Amino acid sequence: MAGPLSNLTVVELATAIQGPAVGLYFSNMGARVIKVEPPIGDGSRYHRGVKNELPENIFQSQFLAMNKGKESVCIDLKTEIGRDFLEVLLGKADIFISNYRASALERIGLELTGLNARFPQLIVGHVNGFGPRGPDADKAMLDGAAQARGGIANLTGKPGETSTPPGAAIADHAGAMQLALACVTALESRHTTGQGQVVRTSSLGAQLWLHMWELQHSFLTGNQLDRVGPHHPNINAPYGVYTTKDAVDFMFVTAMTNDAWTNLWIFFDQPDVLLIEEWDTPGKRIGSSGSEDGVADIRTRLKNAVALKTFEELEAFFDEQPEIIWERVRDHEGVRTDPQNIANSYVVEMDLPTVGKTATVGTLMEYSLTPTDEAVQLPPELGADTASIMAELGFDDSQVEFVETNVTNVRQRLLSALLGTD
């Protein structure tokens, strides 16, 4: 059975993570996603990252992660036929997605409100770095800049030391999630109004969404939250990351019942902790009541107690304590092999040319009536669908040949310039 959004056609003119991740959402949901790429392709095709011993001529990790199941049209939008092609394509699409800067879109005739005027039923989705208005509306952005400006980076790291941004492109991914949600919302609105519209969001706005509780606390109280290393800046409780005798990190969240709290400290052979009034209720232990009194002491006690136990000992104890919330801090190999991820198809296998089988992140959402495709689709080779889609839209063989020849020539010039082989 087709996925829940299999009736939709999405056109993606986007690069790197933030825009393509929006297209990936729709692809995962069964929509037809046509990725429009410039002659040299989406730059993430060439982003090799670190510790990469793979050949250069295969899908690289960033492109692979964001572009599964799409079609690729490679076309030069600086040419008249390239612009004509996109115009015809958008006339048949439900959603247009881009993370190009607004000024760049305008230079190729794709001003956002103008698009909406030409295609009244089209949802025009745009995501950028810092929002559609204000002095920095067209400012360049990469993920870390939005993390810094949005305030999340300020809350991670050790007190008194340099901020430590999260080790993932959370600004780009969060912006993508927001735009995907905005586009689906606009589609629902279209059912009522019969009209498409322009929807916009940004990495900066998404950062505020990701930590709006912490922001609200600072806004409300006038007190800035501080970095507290392995703990949460707004939870006065044992809650935090601790390290075992054999150097395994795990997150201790809370003991939800008094019996579980009692069992924990008997296991550590420190029953005197049970007499500490600051931690004698579940609410106090999760930080929803009580004060800062004794926070440093209980964290030190737990840190020292954990340091005397191996992870195997702790895991055996915790497995018998369903009212204690905890989790091992897993590395990427641990995530790949986690039976919970496998059972829910959060991590699935795909078969890559040259490389063979590799794990990838799955669809993540489950639908009972309109299930998504269980087989993970490969990303497209650059321009693999140019000829077929042009023919589908009514362009003749000579026009297809012109486009493909022009793209090849432009790509060769760009690569020569980049490699200094002119």
Side-chain angles (χ1 to χ4, degrees), residues 251-264 281-282 285-286 317-327:
M251 166 65 78
F252 176 85
V253 178
T254 191
M256 294 190 291
T257 65
N258 287 340
D259 283 347
W261 184 246
T262 297
N263 293 339
L264 178 69
T281 70
R285 291 192 292 271
I286 199 59
F317 168 73
F318 285 139
D319 283 347
E320 299 297 321
Q321 302 294 325
E323 301 303 317
I324 293 179
I325 300 176
W326 73 285
E327 283 296 337

Side-chain angles (χ1 to χ4, degrees), residues 195-250:
Q195 296 290 309
Q197 58 185 300
V198 179
V199 293
R200 288 180 275 207
T201 188
S202 69
S203 296
L204 175 61
Q207 294 307 281
L208 274 55
W209 173 270
L210 286 180
H211 74 304
M212 68 173 101
W213 167 42
E214 293 81 3
L215 284 171
Q216 186 66 73
H217 188 81
S218 294
F219 295 166
L220 182 65
T221 65
N223 296 316
Q224 293 295 308
L225 295 174
D226 300 317
R227 291 192 293 279
V228 285
H231 304 284
H232 191 282
N234 204 28
I235 298 178
N236 286 325
Y239 183 112
V241 177
Y242 298 87
T243 303
T244 65
K245 181 180 181 180
D246 49 344
V248 176
D249 291 344
F250 76 96

Side-chain angles (χ1 to χ4, degrees), residues 45 54 57-61 63-64 352-353 378-382:
R45 287 182 178 272
L54 297 173
N57 62 343
I58 68 166
F59 293 123
Q60 299 302 316
S61 57
F63 186 82
L64 173 61
L352 282 179
L378 290 172
E381 296 288 350
L382 178 58

Side-chain angles (χ1 to χ4, degrees), residues 32-325:
R32 183 186 190 187
V33 179
I34 300 173
K35 184 179 182 69
V36 179
E37 299 189 65
I40 202 167
D42 181 342
S44 68
R45 287 182 178 272
Y46 314 105
H47 192 289
R48 293 181 59 76
V50 300
K51 299 182 180 179
N52 188 351
E53 298 176 354
L54 297 173
E56 292 185 8
N57 62 343
I58 68 166
F59 293 123
Q60 299 302 316
S61 57
Q62 188 177 108
F63 186 82
L64 173 61
M66 305 302 148
N67 294 283
K68 297 185 285 284
K70 300 178 184 178
E71 299 170 59
S72 172
V73 169
C74 188
I75 201 158
D76 185 358
L77 292 176
K78 295 179 181 178
T79 63
E80 183 178 356
I81 192 170
R83 292 189 294 271
D84 288 346
F85 166 81
L86 187 58
E87 195 81 3
V88 176
L89 185 59
L90 290 176
K92 296 181 178 297
D94 296 284
I95 302 172
F96 172 68
I97 293 163
S98 186
N99 66 337
Y100 284 23
R101 283 192 275 175
S103 58
L105 291 171
E106 289 171 11
R107 285 195 296 272
I108 55 176
L110 297 176
E111 192 271 333
L112 298 175
T113 55
L115 276 177
N116 201 219
R118 296 204 301 277
F119 308 105
Q121 290 191 305
L122 184 67
I123 307 300
V124 178
H126 186 246
V127 62
N128 72 352
F130 303 106
R133 293 179 296 279
D136 293 332
D138 206 40
K139 186 177 181 180
M141 188 281 303
L142 285 176
D143 188 272
Q147 289 187 26
R149 190 161 186 171
I152 280 184
N154 186 58
L155 293 179
T156 54
K158 295 180 179 179
E161 296 186 7
T162 304
S163 298
T164 306
I170 62 170
D172 280 341
H173 287 285
M177 287 190 288
Q178 289 289 327
L179 187 60
L181 178 61
C183 288
V184 171
T185 304
L187 284 169
E188 178 60 29
S189 175
R190 191 176 73 174
H191 289 315
T192 303
T193 65
Q195 296 290 309
Q197 58 185 300
V198 179
V199 293
R200 288 180 275 207
T201 188
S202 69
S203 296
L204 175 61
Q207 294 307 281
L208 274 55
W209 173 270
L210 286 180
H211 74 304
M212 68 173 101
W213 167 42
E214 293 81 3
L215 284 171
Q216 186 66 73
H217 188 81
S218 294
F219 295 166
L220 182 65
T221 65
N223 296 316
Q224 293 295 308
L225 295 174
D226 300 317
R227 291 192 293 279
V228 285
H231 304 284
H232 191 282
N234 204 28
I235 298 178
N236 286 325
Y239 183 112
V241 177
Y242 298 87
T243 303
T244 65
K245 181 180 181 180
D246 49 344
V248 176
D249 291 344
F250 76 96
M251 166 65 78
F252 176 85
V253 178
T254 191
M256 294 190 291
T257 65
N258 287 340
D259 283 347
W261 184 246
T262 297
N263 293 339
L264 178 69
W265 290 103
I266 290 175
F267 170 72
F268 286 136
D269 196 24
Q270 295 189 41
D272 59 303
V273 174
L274 303 173
L275 303 176
I276 301 176
E277 185 178 348
E278 286 87 354
W279 311 112
D280 62 4
T281 70
K284 292 177 182 178
R285 291 192 292 271
I286 199 59
S288 60
S289 62
S291 67
E292 294 183 18
D293 294 344
V295 172
D297 176 61
I298 194 65
R299 288 174 177 171
T300 298
R301 282 175 174 264
L302 188 53
K303 176 182 177 180
N304 292 339
V306 167
L308 296 175
K309 300 286 187 179
T310 65
F311 179 74
E312 184 178 3
E313 291 172 317
L314 280 163
E315 185 176 36
F317 168 73
F318 285 139
D319 283 347
E320 299 297 321
Q321 302 294 325
E323 301 303 317
I324 293 179
I325 300 176

